[in-house]
PDB file of all heavy atoms in Angstrom:
ATOM      1  N   SER B 834     -34.584-200.867  95.136  1.00  0.00           N
ATOM      2  CA  SER B 834     -34.688-202.214  94.534  1.00  0.00           C
ATOM      3  C   SER B 834     -36.122-202.679  94.387  1.00  0.00           C
ATOM      4  O   SER B 834     -36.469-203.329  93.420  1.00  0.00           O
ATOM      5  CB  SER B 834     -33.800-203.216  95.326  1.00  0.00           C
ATOM      6  OG  SER B 834     -34.363-203.430  96.594  1.00  0.00           O
ATOM      7  N   ILE B 835     -37.019-202.302  95.324  1.00  0.00           N
ATOM      8  CA  ILE B 835     -38.427-202.698  95.218  1.00  0.00           C
ATOM      9  C   ILE B 835     -39.080-202.047  94.005  1.00  0.00           C
ATOM     10  O   ILE B 835     -39.803-202.684  93.248  1.00  0.00           O
ATOM     11  CB  ILE B 835     -39.201-202.351  96.487  1.00  0.00           C
ATOM     12  CG1 ILE B 835     -38.718-203.226  97.660  1.00  0.00           C
ATOM     13  CG2 ILE B 835     -40.720-202.536  96.278  1.00  0.00           C
ATOM     14  CD1 ILE B 835     -39.135-202.674  99.030  1.00  0.00           C
ATOM     15  N   LEU B 836     -38.777-200.754  93.807  1.00  0.00           N
ATOM     16  CA  LEU B 836     -39.429-200.019  92.713  1.00  0.00           C
ATOM     17  C   LEU B 836     -38.633-200.114  91.415  1.00  0.00           C
ATOM     18  O   LEU B 836     -39.011-199.536  90.386  1.00  0.00           O
ATOM     19  CB  LEU B 836     -39.671-198.585  93.105  1.00  0.00           C
ATOM     20  CG  LEU B 836     -40.558-198.353  94.335  1.00  0.00           C
ATOM     21  CD1 LEU B 836     -40.661-196.883  94.652  1.00  0.00           C
ATOM     22  CD2 LEU B 836     -41.956-198.964  94.119  1.00  0.00           C
ATOM     23  N   GLY B 837     -37.479-200.790  91.453  1.00  0.00           N
ATOM     24  CA  GLY B 837     -36.652-200.919  90.246  1.00  0.00           C
ATOM     25  C   GLY B 837     -36.112-199.591  89.796  1.00  0.00           C
ATOM     26  O   GLY B 837     -35.952-199.318  88.603  1.00  0.00           O
ATOM     27  N   LEU B 838     -35.800-198.710  90.759  1.00  0.00           N
ATOM     28  CA  LEU B 838     -35.316-197.365  90.417  1.00  0.00           C
ATOM     29  C   LEU B 838     -33.809-197.337  90.354  1.00  0.00           C
ATOM     30  O   LEU B 838     -33.142-198.202  90.901  1.00  0.00           O
ATOM     31  CB  LEU B 838     -35.779-196.356  91.472  1.00  0.00           C
ATOM     32  CG  LEU B 838     -37.281-196.226  91.685  1.00  0.00           C
ATOM     33  CD1 LEU B 838     -37.545-195.317  92.864  1.00  0.00           C
ATOM     34  CD2 LEU B 838     -37.959-195.726  90.438  1.00  0.00           C
ATOM     35  N   VAL B 839     -33.318-196.313  89.710  1.00  0.00           N
ATOM     36  CA  VAL B 839     -31.871-196.097  89.632  1.00  0.00           C
ATOM     37  C   VAL B 839     -31.442-195.222  90.783  1.00  0.00           C
ATOM     38  O   VAL B 839     -31.932-194.107  90.952  1.00  0.00           O
ATOM     39  CB  VAL B 839     -31.514-195.404  88.294  1.00  0.00           C
ATOM     40  CG1 VAL B 839     -30.031-195.233  88.197  1.00  0.00           C
ATOM     41  CG2 VAL B 839     -32.074-196.158  87.119  1.00  0.00           C
ATOM     42  N   PRO B 840     -30.510-195.700  91.650  1.00  0.00           N
ATOM     43  CA  PRO B 840     -30.047-194.853  92.751  1.00  0.00           C
ATOM     44  C   PRO B 840     -29.449-193.536  92.203  1.00  0.00           C
ATOM     45  O   PRO B 840     -28.734-193.539  91.203  1.00  0.00           O
ATOM     46  CB  PRO B 840     -28.948-195.692  93.404  1.00  0.00           C
ATOM     47  CG  PRO B 840     -29.325-197.095  93.080  1.00  0.00           C
ATOM     48  CD  PRO B 840     -29.951-197.053  91.688  1.00  0.00           C
ATOM     49  N   PHE B 841     -29.789-192.424  92.879  1.00  0.00           N
ATOM     50  CA  PHE B 841     -29.288-191.106  92.456  1.00  0.00           C
ATOM     51  C   PHE B 841     -27.798-191.088  92.285  1.00  0.00           C
ATOM     52  O   PHE B 841     -27.260-190.410  91.425  1.00  0.00           O
ATOM     53  CB  PHE B 841     -29.639-190.053  93.518  1.00  0.00           C
ATOM     54  CG  PHE B 841     -31.088-189.753  93.681  1.00  0.00           C
ATOM     55  CD1 PHE B 841     -31.672-189.654  94.910  1.00  0.00           C
ATOM     56  CD2 PHE B 841     -31.886-189.599  92.560  1.00  0.00           C
ATOM     57  CE1 PHE B 841     -33.026-189.383  95.055  1.00  0.00           C
ATOM     58  CE2 PHE B 841     -33.245-189.319  92.668  1.00  0.00           C
ATOM     59  CZ  PHE B 841     -33.809-189.218  93.944  1.00  0.00           C
ATOM     60  N   SER B 842     -27.088-191.790  93.168  1.00  0.00           N
ATOM     61  CA  SER B 842     -25.621-191.715  93.187  1.00  0.00           C
ATOM     62  C   SER B 842     -25.017-192.232  91.872  1.00  0.00           C
ATOM     63  O   SER B 842     -23.870-191.950  91.574  1.00  0.00           O
ATOM     64  CB  SER B 842     -25.078-192.537  94.360  1.00  0.00           C
ATOM     65  OG  SER B 842     -25.454-193.886  94.186  1.00  0.00           O
ATOM     66  N   TYR B 843     -25.776-192.987  91.101  1.00  0.00           N
ATOM     67  CA  TYR B 843     -25.237-193.526  89.843  1.00  0.00           C
ATOM     68  C   TYR B 843     -24.912-192.446  88.840  1.00  0.00           C
ATOM     69  O   TYR B 843     -23.975-192.536  88.077  1.00  0.00           O
ATOM     70  CB  TYR B 843     -26.234-194.509  89.204  1.00  0.00           C
ATOM     71  CG  TYR B 843     -26.252-195.880  89.800  1.00  0.00           C
ATOM     72  CD1 TYR B 843     -25.762-196.108  91.107  1.00  0.00           C
ATOM     73  CD2 TYR B 843     -26.712-196.985  89.125  1.00  0.00           C
ATOM     74  CE1 TYR B 843     -25.782-197.367  91.666  1.00  0.00           C
ATOM     75  CE2 TYR B 843     -26.765-198.252  89.669  1.00  0.00           C
ATOM     76  CZ  TYR B 843     -26.275-198.440  90.934  1.00  0.00           C
ATOM     77  OH  TYR B 843     -26.295-199.677  91.486  1.00  0.00           O
ATOM     78  N   TYR B 844     -25.766-191.357  88.850  1.00  0.00           N
ATOM     79  CA  TYR B 844     -25.543-190.331  87.836  1.00  0.00           C
ATOM     80  C   TYR B 844     -24.233-189.572  88.044  1.00  0.00           C
ATOM     81  O   TYR B 844     -23.426-189.500  87.147  1.00  0.00           O
ATOM     82  CB  TYR B 844     -26.768-189.391  87.758  1.00  0.00           C
ATOM     83  CG  TYR B 844     -28.019-190.148  87.427  1.00  0.00           C
ATOM     84  CD1 TYR B 844     -29.129-190.101  88.282  1.00  0.00           C
ATOM     85  CD2 TYR B 844     -28.088-190.953  86.305  1.00  0.00           C
ATOM     86  CE1 TYR B 844     -30.300-190.829  87.960  1.00  0.00           C
ATOM     87  CE2 TYR B 844     -29.227-191.687  86.004  1.00  0.00           C
ATOM     88  CZ  TYR B 844     -30.333-191.623  86.845  1.00  0.00           C
ATOM     89  OH  TYR B 844     -31.454-192.342  86.545  1.00  0.00           O
ATOM     90  N   PRO B 845     -24.035-189.001  89.273  1.00  0.00           N
ATOM     91  CA  PRO B 845     -22.757-188.307  89.476  1.00  0.00           C
ATOM     92  C   PRO B 845     -21.551-189.225  89.264  1.00  0.00           C
ATOM     93  O   PRO B 845     -20.526-188.803  88.747  1.00  0.00           O
ATOM     94  CB  PRO B 845     -22.826-187.809  90.909  1.00  0.00           C
ATOM     95  CG  PRO B 845     -24.027-188.385  91.524  1.00  0.00           C
ATOM     96  CD  PRO B 845     -24.924-188.888  90.431  1.00  0.00           C
ATOM     97  N   GLU B 846     -21.723-190.508  89.631  1.00  0.00           N
ATOM     98  CA  GLU B 846     -20.592-191.437  89.464  1.00  0.00           C
ATOM     99  C   GLU B 846     -20.263-191.582  87.973  1.00  0.00           C
ATOM    100  O   GLU B 846     -19.104-191.501  87.563  1.00  0.00           O
ATOM    101  CB  GLU B 846     -20.967-192.793  90.069  1.00  0.00           C
ATOM    102  CG  GLU B 846     -19.791-193.735  90.161  1.00  0.00           C
ATOM    103  CD  GLU B 846     -20.182-195.108  90.746  1.00  0.00           C
ATOM    104  OE1 GLU B 846     -21.138-195.151  91.539  1.00  0.00           O
ATOM    105  OE2 GLU B 846     -19.546-196.106  90.376  1.00  0.00           O
ATOM    106  N   PHE B 847     -21.292-191.784  87.146  1.00  0.00           N
ATOM    107  CA  PHE B 847     -21.104-191.966  85.715  1.00  0.00           C
ATOM    108  C   PHE B 847     -20.582-190.696  85.058  1.00  0.00           C
ATOM    109  O   PHE B 847     -19.646-190.748  84.261  1.00  0.00           O
ATOM    110  CB  PHE B 847     -22.411-192.437  85.059  1.00  0.00           C
ATOM    111  CG  PHE B 847     -22.263-192.870  83.646  1.00  0.00           C
ATOM    112  CD1 PHE B 847     -21.393-193.896  83.281  1.00  0.00           C
ATOM    113  CD2 PHE B 847     -23.023-192.290  82.645  1.00  0.00           C
ATOM    114  CE1 PHE B 847     -21.276-194.303  81.968  1.00  0.00           C
ATOM    115  CE2 PHE B 847     -22.916-192.704  81.313  1.00  0.00           C
ATOM    116  CZ  PHE B 847     -22.052-193.715  80.978  1.00  0.00           C
ATOM    117  N   VAL B 848     -21.176-189.567  85.433  1.00  0.00           N
ATOM    118  CA  VAL B 848     -20.714-188.283  84.849  1.00  0.00           C
ATOM    119  C   VAL B 848     -19.270-188.049  85.237  1.00  0.00           C
ATOM    120  O   VAL B 848     -18.466-187.560  84.421  1.00  0.00           O
ATOM    121  CB  VAL B 848     -21.631-187.115  85.308  1.00  0.00           C
ATOM    122  CG1 VAL B 848     -21.063-185.785  84.846  1.00  0.00           C
ATOM    123  CG2 VAL B 848     -23.033-187.314  84.788  1.00  0.00           C
ATOM    124  N   GLY B 849     -18.889-188.441  86.457  1.00  0.00           N
ATOM    125  CA  GLY B 849     -17.517-188.291  86.886  1.00  0.00           C
ATOM    126  C   GLY B 849     -16.570-189.082  86.005  1.00  0.00           C
ATOM    127  O   GLY B 849     -15.481-188.596  85.632  1.00  0.00           O
ATOM    128  N   LEU B 850     -16.964-190.307  85.644  1.00  0.00           N
ATOM    129  CA  LEU B 850     -16.125-191.131  84.758  1.00  0.00           C
ATOM    130  C   LEU B 850     -16.003-190.483  83.386  1.00  0.00           C
ATOM    131  O   LEU B 850     -14.941-190.464  82.778  1.00  0.00           O
ATOM    132  CB  LEU B 850     -16.733-192.547  84.624  1.00  0.00           C
ATOM    133  CG  LEU B 850     -16.702-193.398  85.881  1.00  0.00           C
ATOM    134  CD1 LEU B 850     -17.625-194.611  85.745  1.00  0.00           C
ATOM    135  CD2 LEU B 850     -15.292-193.856  86.226  1.00  0.00           C
ATOM    136  N   LEU B 851     -17.112-189.930  82.886  1.00  0.00           N
ATOM    137  CA  LEU B 851     -17.082-189.294  81.584  1.00  0.00           C
ATOM    138  C   LEU B 851     -16.228-188.023  81.608  1.00  0.00           C
ATOM    139  O   LEU B 851     -15.431-187.754  80.722  1.00  0.00           O
ATOM    140  CB  LEU B 851     -18.488-188.938  81.110  1.00  0.00           C
ATOM    141  CG  LEU B 851     -19.434-190.112  80.847  1.00  0.00           C
ATOM    142  CD1 LEU B 851     -20.838-189.606  80.557  1.00  0.00           C
ATOM    143  CD2 LEU B 851     -18.942-190.984  79.683  1.00  0.00           C
ATOM    144  N   ALA B 852     -16.396-187.257  82.718  1.00  0.00           N
ATOM    145  CA  ALA B 852     -15.663-185.968  82.831  1.00  0.00           C
ATOM    146  C   ALA B 852     -14.179-186.213  82.923  1.00  0.00           C
ATOM    147  O   ALA B 852     -13.376-185.438  82.393  1.00  0.00           O
ATOM    148  CB  ALA B 852     -16.167-185.191  84.054  1.00  0.00           C
ATOM    149  N   SER B 853     -13.798-187.339  83.576  1.00  0.00           N
ATOM    150  CA  SER B 853     -12.355-187.583  83.695  1.00  0.00           C
ATOM    151  C   SER B 853     -11.841-188.461  82.534  1.00  0.00           C
ATOM    152  O   SER B 853     -10.746-188.959  82.577  1.00  0.00           O
ATOM    153  CB  SER B 853     -12.050-188.244  85.039  1.00  0.00           C
ATOM    154  OG  SER B 853     -12.749-189.463  85.142  1.00  0.00           O
ATOM    155  N   LYS B 854     -12.699-188.632  81.510  1.00  0.00           N
ATOM    156  CA  LYS B 854     -12.324-189.390  80.302  1.00  0.00           C
ATOM    157  C   LYS B 854     -11.848-190.809  80.606  1.00  0.00           C
ATOM    158  O   LYS B 854     -10.935-191.312  79.942  1.00  0.00           O
ATOM    159  CB  LYS B 854     -11.282-188.632  79.488  1.00  0.00           C
ATOM    160  CG  LYS B 854     -11.754-187.281  79.005  1.00  0.00           C
ATOM    161  CD  LYS B 854     -10.992-186.811  77.797  1.00  0.00           C
ATOM    162  CE  LYS B 854     -11.374-185.474  77.242  1.00  0.00           C
ATOM    163  NZ  LYS B 854     -12.640-184.851  77.684  1.00  0.00           N
ATOM    164  N   ASP B 855     -12.479-191.439  81.611  1.00  0.00           N
ATOM    165  CA  ASP B 855     -12.113-192.822  81.961  1.00  0.00           C
ATOM    166  C   ASP B 855     -13.007-193.765  81.125  1.00  0.00           C
ATOM    167  O   ASP B 855     -14.050-194.218  81.574  1.00  0.00           O
ATOM    168  CB  ASP B 855     -12.328-193.035  83.463  1.00  0.00           C
ATOM    169  CG  ASP B 855     -11.972-194.443  83.897  1.00  0.00           C
ATOM    170  OD1 ASP B 855     -11.753-195.312  83.052  1.00  0.00           O
ATOM    171  OD2 ASP B 855     -11.979-194.668  85.115  1.00  0.00           O
ATOM    172  N   ARG B 856     -12.518-194.058  79.928  1.00  0.00           N
ATOM    173  CA  ARG B 856     -13.343-194.839  79.001  1.00  0.00           C
ATOM    174  C   ARG B 856     -13.658-196.259  79.524  1.00  0.00           C
ATOM    175  O   ARG B 856     -14.784-196.689  79.514  1.00  0.00           O
ATOM    176  CB  ARG B 856     -12.619-194.946  77.646  1.00  0.00           C
ATOM    177  CG  ARG B 856     -13.483-195.532  76.551  1.00  0.00           C
ATOM    178  CD  ARG B 856     -12.781-195.625  75.241  1.00  0.00           C
ATOM    179  NE  ARG B 856     -11.605-196.504  75.387  1.00  0.00           N
ATOM    180  CZ  ARG B 856     -10.635-196.595  74.499  1.00  0.00           C
ATOM    181  NH1 ARG B 856     -10.655-195.853  73.427  1.00  0.00           N
ATOM    182  NH2 ARG B 856      -9.638-197.443  74.666  1.00  0.00           N
ATOM    183  N   ASP B 857     -12.598-196.938  80.030  1.00  0.00           N
ATOM    184  CA  ASP B 857     -12.811-198.324  80.506  1.00  0.00           C
ATOM    185  C   ASP B 857     -13.742-198.313  81.714  1.00  0.00           C
ATOM    186  O   ASP B 857     -14.600-199.183  81.840  1.00  0.00           O
ATOM    187  CB  ASP B 857     -11.478-198.962  80.847  1.00  0.00           C
ATOM    188  CG  ASP B 857     -10.581-199.073  79.612  1.00  0.00           C
ATOM    189  OD1 ASP B 857     -11.096-198.824  78.492  1.00  0.00           O
ATOM    190  OD2 ASP B 857      -9.411-199.416  79.758  1.00  0.00           O
ATOM    191  N   GLY B 858     -13.536-197.331  82.598  1.00  0.00           N
ATOM    192  CA  GLY B 858     -14.375-197.228  83.777  1.00  0.00           C
ATOM    193  C   GLY B 858     -15.845-197.018  83.386  1.00  0.00           C
ATOM    194  O   GLY B 858     -16.753-197.646  83.958  1.00  0.00           O
TER     195      GLY B 858
END
């Protein structure tokens, strides 16, 4: 939050939603 960075965990979470075709998610 201090450096305004994106937490690493966001990428696998987002890719997971795309991989499972969860459009709304």
